[in-house]
Amino acid sequence: MTDPNAIQPSELDQLPDRDPEETAEWRASLDAVAKAAGPHRAAYLMRRTLERAEGTGVALPKLLETDYVNTIPTAAEPAVPGDEEMEARITAWNRWNAAAMVTRGSKYGVGGHIATFASAAWLYETGFNHFFKGKEADGSGDQLYIQGHASPGIYARAFLDGRLNETHLDNFRREAGGDGLPSYPHPRRLPWLWEFPTVSMGLGPLSAIYQARFNRYLTNRGIKDVSASHVWAFLGDGEMDEPESTAALALAAREELDNLTFVINCNLQRLDGPVRANFKIVQELEAQFRGAGWNVVKTLWGSAWDDLFQLDTTGALVRRLREVPDAQVQTYQTRDAAYIRQDFFGADPALVEMAKLLSDDKILDCFHFSRGGHESRKVYAAYRAALAHKGAPTVILAQTVKGHTLGAGFASKNANHQMKKLSVDEFKTMRDLLGLPIADSAFTDGQVPYAHPGADSPEVRYLQERRAALGGPAPARRVHPVAPLPAPADKAFTAFDKGSGSQNVATTMAFVRLVKDLVRDKETGRRWVPIVPDEARTFGMESLFPSLGIYSPKGQTYEPVDRDQLMYYKEAKNGQILNEGITEAGSMADFIAASTSYATHGEAMIPFYIFYSMFGWQRTADQMWQLGDQLGRGFLVGATAGRTTLTGEGLQHADGHSPVIAATNPAALTYDPAFAYEVAAIVKDGLRRMYGQAAPGEDPDVFYYLTVYNEPLPQPAKPAAPGIDEGIVKGLYRFNTAESAGLSPAANAPRIQLLGSGTAIHWALKAQQLLAEEWGVAADVWSATSWGELRRDALEADAALLRGEERVPYVRRALQGAEGPVLAVSDYMRQVPDQIAQWVEQDYSSLGADGFGLSDTRDAARRYFGVDAQSIVVAALAQLARRGEVKATAVKEARERYGL
């Protein structure tokens, strides 16, 4: 008969057992406990043993879940400093005004959310009263990522503090008049208050992690010591379903970001219903975060539960709490004591006996109101524990009731996210519950009043004293009055003016060479932040590894395999390059943190993020929108750009549309430079505008998107004609004429204007030669560096005309007097060059690479899309034929000659 205590061969894991007898004794002990005291007791002992092992540093796999109780026992909770009663009154005023603001706005149909702040109020108020450091504190203060739907509560606190008035509150979600408040945290709309946009769910937590990481980067590089700053991210449990919410958890743990705390408001509800109806979201999140290496603090039950846990001598209560699904917990919130006695306590004989000791009021107090996230003492203990924990980030899982204090019509109801107002009677009930001194007579004409205890009231004085002690108001955004960065020496930019001679150079290489020169600048070089998602070698950036170093908080703890090579892989604690691995989303989060450092930390940094253009805007356009909202500055560089230049990679690598997506972002300046000197001119002007001295009327809070190519081609010298730099920046200039190209057209030759951007200008130049030599047509070639900026300027001219101002769009002025029709071509879909069509006075047509990409040679791909030089010739002849300037037969002849 097999010995049940013997280790079976299937259980061996190649670890030698030095004492099989002792192992057998441990197994027998566990079996004995299970037999004598039951499996629950055996499980309890195993949990406590594993917790003890973890606490003493024994190398064991961590427990992924703990019991469904508070992490911090009641006896271990520290006393809350300050006046808890005063803080409760402050919170009551803020609850009231948050609900009043949304209710009053509902008559305009602008919407708003009441229930989120009602559940999370103490999570914020405890932080504002005791933890969140303002801008006058050490470092740069704390960085607060506020849950978007809780914004009414933040506005209510700013109203109490005197930073907002009733007019502001009455214009919640009505911004057009000038005194309005944006619906959510939007820095571009309210730049003195909000720092971080968060309501595009999932982007807040991702950005918070990389902000905490960037804080370490600034400190380790000696730019600014922000080690005293802490990043707090407030999230919803439903929001954690977004993949971005958990995308970088491992990074935060790996880099030991103990300057970061997530506070997840676990009210168990998302927009339509329970987050995990048949499961337990808190336990799921705990396992996820603990598995990723985070410190987890659960704050689930309020003080009313303490008596119940004292009565739980068998563990039946804890077991029952662990097994009840979240949707049933929500149901208990809305049912009477008799239902709870039967359904919850009736499931276990031990709980039946416990319930006999509890009054109905006690049961309702526990199940309807008492949650850890609703008590300042519980929240304070969790925050204090988070700040005390070192070596890993902390997540606080705080259980609350969505719609808490708003009345039975709101609390835990599935529809409460869409409920925008309370009735007057509901407000009066809420007033009585909160103990606010608001008279019935204040409800004039059925309108709920705002309530304020007075600018010199004890509540306001206390609030302001607490904020003063913590470093000033919060949240707050400030752009520090710093001097513009000095412009780098012209030498770095003019190095491209002579062209590349006989050498073929891709514009990607030209950009990398430019950056290599700029990072050497004594004044501004250290402020560049190169960001790349594990593709630096693709872009020829490996030469930057040994000179700049790749940032790693641990430095380089190994000998790199290529240490004996000139361009070896070098990591350093003060490294300048952020090489993120294969994560465009993480790289964009890096970029956002660096691009807004001028405001967050008062330190202007110059990030450039280089990526496969196909995997930029298409994959992370939501973060580009977030970047624009956060008023970020820097350079996004879409490399290996275009539909036909990345040979062989095929459909999902062939970018034919990123400029179209970029054109939808009001903060993005999109350029498609053809030549190295154009790249240099654009970067130079971008540095001036964003970091130097912006011209009157220019917005410095923009970012640049440059497309650069991997196709090595001759780089011409910069034309000597006047106004070239202006044309490059504005988006269009004449590169040459048929005459200046040495093609000697006849005096009466038909003429056409060829506009090309990016790599397409090389096809246009070849077409120019074919048109002259084979068809007697004179063509002038223009470099369209930015279809988007040409369009933006034209739209502004149209708007000026509506105001009665005479203004001619730049594209019309540039092309004024140019003979013949205009044919535009790019390596993108025709929609890109067609952006300017309505403002071109000449006959206008375009060519582009519409449709999906394909794998083939560059020449074959261009022929397939009809954008190669021969296709341009045929299109040009067709335009001229329609005007009667060449014979119609020429079009057919050309098509046959070129095999089209």
Side-chain angles (χ1 to χ4, degrees):
M1 185 173 179
T2 303
D3 180 0
N5 292 319
I7 298 178
Q8 302 304 311
S10 61
E11 297 173 344
L12 294 176
D13 59 1
Q14 299 188 30
L15 292 178
D17 189 347
R18 295 184 301 175
D19 192 340
E21 257 185 65
E22 183 182 36
T23 304
E25 289 173 4
W26 276 79
R27 291 164 63 87
S29 296
L30 181 62
D31 291 344
V33 171
K35 184 176 180 180
H40 295 305
R41 178 61 180 170
Y44 175 85
L45 290 175
M46 287 302 299
R47 282 179 176 274
R48 298 293 86 83
T49 301
L50 288 170
E51 287 171 359
R52 177 64 176 172
E54 185 178 322
T56 55
V58 175
L60 281 175
K62 291 185 177 181
L63 276 173
L64 293 186
E65 288 185 31
T66 60
D67 288 326
Y68 201 63
V69 296
N70 294 348
T71 301
I72 303 170
T74 301
E77 293 170 359
V80 180
D83 188 332
E84 291 186 65
E85 183 180 345
M86 180 68 73
E87 291 173 16
R89 293 208 301 272
I90 291 171
T91 304
W93 290 110
N94 292 338
R95 286 182 181 278
W96 177 274
N97 287 318
M101 179 194 323
V102 176
T103 296
R104 287 167 68 116
S106 67
K107 67 182 179 182
Y108 300 105
V110 295
H113 300 287
I114 301 177
T116 296
F117 179 73
S119 69
W122 275 114
L123 302 180
Y124 292 106
E125 293 298 323
T126 303
F128 284 127
N129 288 328
H130 300 286
F131 293 95
F132 303 158
K133 295 189 288 291
K135 291 296 183 183
E136 282 81 37
D138 292 339
S140 304
D142 288 351
Q143 287 80 57
L144 307 181
Y145 287 76
I146 305 295
Q147 192 180 1
H149 293 142
S151 61
I154 308 305
Y155 291 140
R157 194 170 217 275
F159 171 65
L160 202 66
D161 194 14
R163 294 198 289 164
L164 295 175
N165 56 40
E166 288 194 13
T167 301
H168 290 119
L169 300 193
D170 258 349
N171 285 316
F172 173 60
R173 292 193 168 200
R174 294 193 299 140
E175 300 177 74
D179 288 322
L181 299 178
S183 52
Y184 303 125
H186 293 307
R188 187 167 284 275
R189 291 302 185 198
L190 200 63
W192 61 267
L193 180 73
W194 298 119
E195 279 195 287
F196 307 109
T198 55
V199 85
S200 188
M201 291 189 180
L203 299 190
L206 179 67
S207 292
I209 289 174
Y210 280 89
Q211 182 66 57
R213 197 278 193 96
F214 190 74
N215 290 358
R216 290 279 173 85
Y217 173 88
L218 286 181
T219 300
N220 289 336
R221 287 197 55 217
I223 302 291
K224 182 179 181 179
D225 184 357
V226 294
S227 55
S229 293
H230 199 83
V231 178
W232 300 83
F234 289 84
L235 321 169
D237 47 1
E239 181 178 4
M240 300 310 295
D241 284 345
E242 288 284 4
E244 295 89 350
S245 294
T246 55
L249 298 188
L251 166 74
R254 183 171 65 246
E255 298 203 1
E256 301 177 353
L257 297 180
D258 49 26
N259 62 338
L260 169 69
T261 298
F262 275 15
V263 182
I264 303 182
N265 178 20
C266 297
N267 56 37
L268 313 185
Q269 286 185 253
R270 53 189 178 198
L271 275 60
D272 287 333
V275 178
R276 292 290 183 274
N278 296 296
F279 307 94
K280 301 192 80 62
I281 186 61
V282 169
Q283 299 300 87
E284 178 182 318
L285 291 174
E286 179 184 27
Q288 195 169 12
F289 278 87
R290 286 175 69 89
W294 285 53
N295 176 46
V296 178
V297 177
K298 293 197 290 193
T299 303
L300 308 180
W301 308 112
S303 55
W305 284 84
D306 290 347
D307 295 336
L308 275 68
F309 289 123
Q310 287 294 319
L311 295 173
D312 185 27
T313 57
T314 65
L317 177 61
V318 173
R319 290 196 300 274
R320 182 67 177 137
L321 289 173
R322 189 165 60 237
E323 70 187 22
V324 174
D326 283 352
Q328 190 63 23
V329 173
Q330 298 296 86
T331 299
Y332 294 149
Q333 178 70 36
T334 62
R335 298 300 182 90
D336 60 20
Y339 178 89
I340 298 170
R341 284 182 187 277
Q342 179 180 353
D343 191 86
F344 182 84
F345 291 98
D348 188 295
L351 294 181
V352 172
E353 294 303 313
M354 180 188 295
K356 293 177 181 178
L357 305 174
L358 304 175
S359 67
D360 285 357
D361 286 343
K362 180 67 172 180
I363 289 175
L364 293 179
D365 188 19
C366 289
F367 283 85
H368 284 194
F369 305 108
S370 187
R371 300 291 187 274
H374 294 323
E375 295 186 14
S376 62
R377 183 183 180 92
K378 305 290 185 184
V379 176
Y380 182 89
Y383 287 5
R384 183 58 63 201
L387 293 182
H389 187 83
K390 300 303 177 186
T394 294
V395 59
I396 295 169
L397 304 174
Q399 188 163 217
T400 66
V401 174
K402 192 167 186 178
H404 183 60
T405 73
L406 296 181
F410 262 84
S412 290
K413 293 297 177 68
N414 282 341
N416 61 19
H417 193 82
Q418 281 69 40
M419 296 162 69
K420 312 300 182 186
K421 60 184 178 180
L422 278 71
S423 68
V424 168
D425 288 341
E426 287 172 324
F427 265 109
K428 289 179 179 179
T429 300
M430 180 182 176
R431 171 200 63 189
D432 297 340
L433 176 65
L434 297 175
L436 292 172
I438 303 170
D440 285 352
S441 58
F443 293 84
T444 56
D445 300 324
Q447 176 88 298
V448 57
Y450 294 122
H452 198 292
D456 197 39
S457 64
E459 292 93 333
V460 173
R461 289 201 306 272
Y462 182 90
L463 181 155
Q464 293 175 341
E465 287 168 2
R466 292 305 309 140
R467 291 311 315 156
L470 288 165
R477 180 183 183 274
R478 293 187 184 175
V479 178
H480 301 257
V482 294
L485 294 183
D490 268 350
K491 182 180 179 182
F493 304 105
T494 58
F496 300 93
D497 289 356
K498 294 181 181 179
S500 63
S502 60
Q503 182 182 7
N504 288 342
V505 177
T507 50
T508 297
M509 292 298 97
F511 177 81
V512 171
R513 177 186 162 186
L514 174 63
V515 169
K516 286 174 65 177
D517 290 340
L518 292 175
V519 295
R520 294 192 188 105
D521 185 82
K522 292 182 180 179
E523 295 290 336
T524 60
R526 72 190 189 113
R527 296 189 177 276
W528 283 86
V529 184
I531 303 168
V532 60
D534 197 37
E535 295 161 339
R537 297 183 194 277
T538 301
F539 307 136
M541 291 174 58
E542 64 268 30
S543 61
L544 298 177
F545 290 168
S547 58
L548 300 183
I550 299 165
Y551 172 73
S552 169
K554 292 187 178 296
Q556 193 153 32
T557 61
Y558 61 92
E559 182 178 354
V561 67
D562 54 0
R563 183 64 181 84
D564 58 342
Q565 298 179 16
L566 182 62
M567 292 184 287
Y568 69 96
Y569 195 82
K570 177 187 175 184
E571 295 187 83
K573 190 173 182 178
N574 64 346
Q576 194 164 349
I577 301 169
L578 293 173
N579 191 316
E580 288 306 341
I582 305 174
T583 167
E584 289 83 6
S587 299
M588 267 307 302
D590 261 336
F591 186 89
I592 292 170
S595 70
T596 54
S597 180
Y598 73 93
T600 307
H601 296 300
E603 294 286 347
M605 304 299 287
I606 311 171
F608 79 87
Y609 165 34
I610 187 167
F611 49 89
Y612 270 64
S613 66
M614 185 67 165
F615 307 141
W617 286 87
Q618 175 169 296
R619 184 167 290 183
T620 58
D622 196 13
Q623 287 178 285
M624 275 75 162
W625 202 260
Q626 179 190 19
L627 167 66
D629 192 351
Q630 201 166 318
L631 296 93
R633 305 170 183 176
F635 298 95
L636 298 176
V637 183
T640 60
R643 184 80 84 196
T644 69
T645 58
L646 189 58
T647 56
E649 295 286 356
L651 185 148
Q652 286 191 271
H653 283 65
D655 170 26
H657 54 279
S658 68
V660 177
I661 307 175
T664 64
N665 192 307
L669 279 61
T670 303
Y671 287 89
D672 186 24
F675 305 125
Y677 67 80
E678 293 177 353
V679 173
I682 293 164
V683 171
K684 180 180 179 180
D685 193 69
L687 290 172
R688 174 199 62 79
R689 177 170 178 171
M690 295 184 293
Y691 299 97
Q693 193 64 55
E698 273 187 331
D699 182 4
D701 297 323
V702 295
F703 59 93
Y704 283 63
Y705 175 51
L706 280 71
T707 51
V708 292
Y709 299 83
N710 70 327
E711 183 177 9
L713 290 165
Q715 295 297 326
K718 184 177 183 179
I724 295 295
D725 283 345
E726 179 191 22
I728 291 172
V729 172
K730 286 186 176 294
L732 182 68
Y733 69 95
R734 181 153 45 196
F735 176 72
N736 70 14
T737 63
E739 290 77 10
S740 65
L743 297 175
S744 305
N748 61 347
R751 188 172 289 267
I752 190 169
Q753 309 299 317
L754 302 180
L755 277 58
S757 68
T759 194
I761 202 168
H762 295 279
W763 323 329
L765 289 168
K766 186 175 180 181
Q768 179 189 45
Q769 184 177 357
L770 292 174
L771 283 166
E773 294 176 353
E774 300 185 12
W775 306 99
V777 173
D780 301 336
V781 176
W782 299 69
S783 180
T785 54
S786 179
W787 310 101
E789 285 307 290
L790 292 174
R791 177 179 177 82
R792 183 170 290 167
D793 171 81
L795 290 172
E796 291 171 357
D798 286 355
L801 285 173
L802 290 176
R803 298 191 300 268
E805 303 170 18
E806 288 293 329
R807 181 174 161 189
V808 180
Y810 174 80
V811 63
R812 186 170 296 168
R813 284 188 282 121
L815 291 170
Q816 189 172 13
E819 297 178 35
V822 170
L823 174 60
V825 59
S826 81
D827 202 18
Y828 296 95
M829 57 197 301
R830 290 175 62 180
Q831 190 172 337
V832 174
D834 284 352
Q835 291 179 83
I836 66 170
Q838 71 185 83
W839 294 281
V840 175
E841 292 182 315
Q842 294 89 340
D843 292 340
Y844 188 91
S845 65
S846 64
L847 296 174
D850 286 75
F852 288 111
L854 76 166
S855 298
D856 213 312
T857 64
R858 291 183 176 117
D859 289 342
R862 285 160 191 166
R863 175 57 59 91
Y864 174 85
F865 285 110
V867 293
D868 61 349
Q870 292 80 5
S871 298
I872 294 173
V873 170
V874 172
L877 293 174
Q879 269 189 288
L880 292 169
R882 284 193 294 269
R883 294 162 58 92
E885 296 180 21
V886 300
K887 293 180 180 179
T889 56
V891 180
K892 183 176 183 230
E893 182 184 345
R895 191 180 300 118
E896 292 173 351
R897 180 183 302 181
Y898 299 135
L900 296 177

